[in-house]
Every structure is written in C-alpha cells, then in structure tokens.
Amino acid sequence: MNDVISTLTSHRSFRKYKEQQITEEQLNSILSSAQSAPTWIHGQQVSVIVIQDKERKAKLANFCGNQNHINEAPTFLVFCADFNRAKIASDIENVPFAACDDSDALLVGATDVGIALSNAIAASESLGLGTVPIGGIRKKPLDVIELLKLPKYVIPIAGLCVGYGLEDPGINPRLPKDSFIHKEEYDHDQKSYINIYDETFRQHHLNKSNGDRDVTWSHRISSFYKEKHYNNNYSEVPTMLKQQGFTCSDMK
Ligand SMILES: Cc1cc2nc3c(=O)[nH]c(=O)nc-3n(C[C@H](O)[C@H](O)[C@H](O)COP(=O)(O)O)c2cc1C
C-alpha cells in the first residue's frame, strides 16, 4: 500500500480541534489540491470560500444547525457549485446562457464540488490535519448566500472544517465490500448485506459509547430520511436554487 492509499483508507472525520491555526502553506496546498481536481468540460464549476474570522465562523456554525466543530476548527472552507464564471463567459461571447435551466447542472455542480472536496480532505489528512465535511451548510442556505455574498449561479454545497484534530474517533466501519462493489451488473442482494452491517454498526457504536449507544445503521438512516427535506431541515433548498438561477426548467 502506498502513502496516498494509506491516507485515503485511514480516513475519519474529526469534530474536535486544537485552537492552533493551520499555516498558509498548508492552506495553499489544500486549496491547490482541490483546484487540481477534474471538472466537467473543464468548466471548473467550483469556488471555495475560506473562512477564518471567528465571528463569521460563529454565524456559519449557527446557520449549519449549531455545529460547534465549525467554531472549533480554525479554518472553515465553503465549497460552492459555481456557474457564475460560465455565465460571464457566455456574456463575453454574447451567446445565451442555458446551463442552469438543465437539472443536470445540479449533478455537474455537485460532482465537481464532491471531487474537489475529496481532494481537499485527502490533502489535509496527508498533512496530518483533521477534517469534517458539513452538509449542514444547506440548512439555512439563504443566510449563507447573504453572508458570503454569493452571486447568482453560485450555490453552497458543502463546508469543510480543517484543523488539528483532537479525540481521534477512529475509522467508521463501512458496509460490506460486496454491497459497494457490483460485478458487471447491480447486485440485488443488498438487504442481506445490510442485515450483516446493522450488527457491525451496532457493535461499533456500543463499543465506542461504553454501551450507551445502541443503534443500527438501518434505524439511523431511515430516521434521517423518513420525512420530506430530511425532516424539514433542508426545506429552503428549492427556494435557494430558484433564487440563484437554477430553474431546472427541463424537469417540468
Ligand atoms: C457531503 C457530506 C456532508 C456532511 N455533513 C456533515 C455535517 O453537516 N455535520 C457532521 O458532523 N458531519 C457531516 N458529514 C460527515 C459524515 O457524517 C461522516 O463522513 C460519516 O459519518 C462517516 O464518518 P467518517 O467520515 O468518520 O468515516 C458529512 C459528510 C459528507 C460527505
């Protein structure tokens, strides 16, 4: 196993951080790694807003559902899907701009952001830093857009806490490999893999909590998905998309 694979397969998310700020050199390496990720048509539909100001982080922590690890992490990165530059290119060329009328633009933006985010995580971990991605950035997306002054065609997709991690949570066990790797065609035996994994997950959390947390993966995931907008925590997303110009009019 080489160093890159060893870093990737040792991943874990940190939710406690030292007060110590990361260096400019570390930050630049993380951001260069993120920017080096492949993007759809080389459109480079990603922007990263770097937040180190404590007050601003506190506001974002609140918008993200009072996630205190955002306050603790000295650096918070907000990864946005960004079609603003594509719109400017269309204006320069004096042609119409139709990308954000396509629902596929959401998949493009989310994919581009996901790959860049993943590069940032791997780069951070290779430098001995800890991270946790923050999807909670979409809980109050209108407030986030206002605070970060995001223009039309730019939407926040995920945050990333970066810092020196404390209280190593260890590796979170994954579903059985056979559920993830499908040979030649989809493996429909998922329920049996989930049954096995529910017990692995349960034991892992019982061990970690000295017997306090008795929960299966099925219970946790089904509770999260049981109501619209993930239990109404993400209900501003459709309004936010419309406001930012993502009409997805091909869906109608
Ligand atoms: C897109 C995305 C959004 C996430 N959002 C949050 C979040 O808002 N808050 C949080 O504490 N963890 C968040 N996480 C972290 C996941 O909970 C974590 O990756 C998962 O539990 C697996 O644990 P591990 O990363 O330690 O392996 C997010 C992860 C991803 C990929």
Side-chain angles (χ1 to χ4, degrees):
M1 194 186 286
N2 66 31
D3 287 351
V4 174
I5 294 169
S6 166
T7 299
L8 293 172
T9 53
S10 305
H11 161 77
R12 73 280 315 267
S13 291
F14 284 83
R15 293 182 181 82
K16 292 271 169 206
Y17 295 91
K18 275 191 207 167
E19 265 193 46
Q20 186 184 348
Q21 185 53 278
I22 64 171
T23 64
E24 270 302 299
E25 196 186 350
Q26 288 170 325
L27 180 61
N28 285 335
S29 302
I30 294 164
L31 296 173
S32 300
S33 304
Q35 200 185 3
S36 299
T39 60
W40 172 263
I41 66 161
H42 200 41
Q44 303 172 69
Q45 288 95 189
V46 183
S47 280
V48 182
I49 320 284
V50 180
I51 318 285
Q52 295 184 320
D53 177 78
K54 281 191 176 164
E55 275 181 31
R56 201 175 277 264
K57 268 196 302 114
K59 283 185 186 157
L60 287 166
N62 177 257
F63 296 159
C64 293
N66 293 316
Q67 300 202 45
N68 193 42
H69 30 282
I70 301 172
N71 287 313
E72 279 197 20
T75 295
F76 186 57
L77 306 176
V78 181
F79 284 74
C80 302
D82 186 342
F83 285 80
N84 177 43
R85 289 182 292 264
K87 166 73 167 83
I88 294 171
S90 303
D91 291 346
I92 291 170
E93 292 293 312
N94 205 19
V95 295
F97 175 71
C100 296
D101 296 337
D102 285 343
S103 45
D104 192 61
L106 292 179
L107 303 186
V108 168
T111 309
D112 281 5
V113 162
I115 302 170
L117 177 71
S118 174
N119 275 14
I121 294 169
S124 302
E125 291 177 353
S126 78
L127 295 169
L129 299 169
T131 66
V132 59
I134 302 293
I137 201 78
R138 303 188 308 275
K139 282 189 175 177
K140 290 269 167 230
L142 302 171
D143 291 333
V144 170
I145 285 166
E146 196 184 339
L147 182 70
L148 305 184
K149 299 190 167 55
L150 303 184
K152 199 170 174 188
Y153 307 120
V154 179
I155 54 176
I157 301 271
L160 186 69
C161 295
V162 186
Y164 288 92
L166 291 174
E167 297 180 19
D168 186 344
I171 292 178
N172 214 338
R174 269 30 183 180
L175 282 153
K177 269 203 167 60
D178 285 345
S179 75
F180 178 74
I181 304 163
H182 303 242
K183 299 213 169 93
E184 308 294 342
E185 54 188 41
Y186 194 85
D187 180 346
H188 288 265
D189 207 12
Q190 295 296 320
K191 195 168 172 189
S192 64
Y193 302 134
I194 291 171
N195 284 336
I196 297 167
Y197 184 59
D198 270 343
E199 196 44 37
T200 312
F201 186 93
R202 190 172 156 260
Q203 282 306 331
H204 175 76
H205 288 285
L206 278 172
N207 292 342
K208 263 186 76 174
S209 65
N210 292 325
D212 280 350
R213 249 179 105 204
D214 187 356
V215 66
T216 63
W217 181 82
S218 293
H219 179 75
R220 195 167 165 226
I221 300 308
S222 61
S223 306
F224 191 84
Y225 285 142
K226 76 178 179 224
E227 273 180 56
K228 208 175 155 191
H229 301 309
Y230 320 138
N231 299 320
N232 279 324
N233 282 317
Y234 291 77
S235 55
E236 283 185 9
V237 169
T239 310
M240 178 273 285
L241 290 175
K242 265 181 223 143
Q243 175 190 294
Q244 296 306 96
F246 289 74
T247 62
C248 301
S249 44
D250 60 342
M251 293 274 279
K252 285 171 198 148

